[in-house]
Amino acid sequence: MNEATTALRPFQDQDEAAVVGVWHRSGQSAYPFLPSWQRLTLGAARDIFRERIRPRCTIWVGTHDGPVVAFLAMVGSYIDRMYVDPLEWRKGWGTRLILLAQTMHPDGLELHTHQENHAARQLYEKHGFRAVKFGMSPPPESAPDVEYHWRPSPS
């Protein structure tokens, strides 16, 4: 990734459409095993973002040559959402967003992901996250998930 053309910055009002687009495209690509995601329209994603995500999350965006290509949404130390546009997968964005979250919350982080989301699980484990509980995601997904925690190494 060329550092001169990339940035991480706080979400701004004008980022909403781009963030929703990244979230929708990434979810459609990452979750072929979730019928609810395959049925989710861009308009429904926009409504969910406006009603449920934006009001309660602190959001950061990753930009590449201007456009938003990734985002991180957090509630305190909980990573609520982290998505990267499929065209930008495997280019370091996940690592950059995790490092940002770890910097903002040096005492620890928590998150959930789907058990079948192997790429995300590998990324989290690479950065020191440990699976602490296996369960089911809430409806409408109702799919096997895993809860991860990251705690800093003792000095």
Side-chain angles (χ1 to χ4, degrees):
M1 200 166 5
N2 181 344
E3 295 296 326
T5 60
T6 65
L8 293 176
R9 62 168 173 76
F11 174 88
Q12 299 169 357
D13 290 342
Q14 64 267 25
D15 296 328
E16 183 177 291
V19 167
V20 170
V22 166
W23 181 42
H24 187 255
R25 286 187 300 278
S26 183
Q28 296 265 305
S29 294
Y31 307 136
F33 54 89
L34 292 174
S36 60
W37 255 102
Q38 299 309 306
R39 290 189 304 267
L40 184 69
T41 66
L42 185 60
R46 182 187 59 245
D47 293 344
I48 292 166
F49 182 83
R50 285 182 180 163
E51 295 167 15
R52 296 188 217 154
I53 300 168
R54 190 168 172 189
R56 65 185 180 83
C57 293
T58 301
I59 304 170
W60 289 78
V61 298
T63 62
H64 186 191
D65 289 333
V68 171
V69 297
F71 78 97
L72 170 71
M74 298 189 66
V75 178
S77 64
Y78 185 79
I79 296 176
D80 189 69
R81 318 230 184 240
M82 188 175 85
Y83 286 88
V84 177
D85 195 285
L87 293 175
E88 294 290 321
W89 285 359
R90 306 223 184 290
K91 294 183 181 178
W93 287 107
T95 293
R96 289 182 73 182
L97 293 171
I98 287 171
L99 293 174
L100 173 64
Q102 289 173 330
T103 300
M104 292 187 303
H105 297 279
D107 293 332
L109 297 166
E110 304 79 33
L111 63 86
H112 285 83
T113 194
H114 296 287
Q115 289 182 30
E116 288 190 52
N117 191 352
H118 301 292
R121 292 182 64 189
Q122 285 178 331
L123 175 69
Y124 298 135
E125 291 170 9
K126 173 181 156 184
H127 290 285
F129 284 78
R130 299 291 172 248
V132 298
K133 183 179 176 187
F134 290 82
M136 293 292 283
S137 61
E141 293 171 346
S142 301
D145 71 2
V146 57
E147 180 178 346
Y148 278 97
H149 290 182
W150 169 80
R151 300 294 180 253
S153 300
S155 303

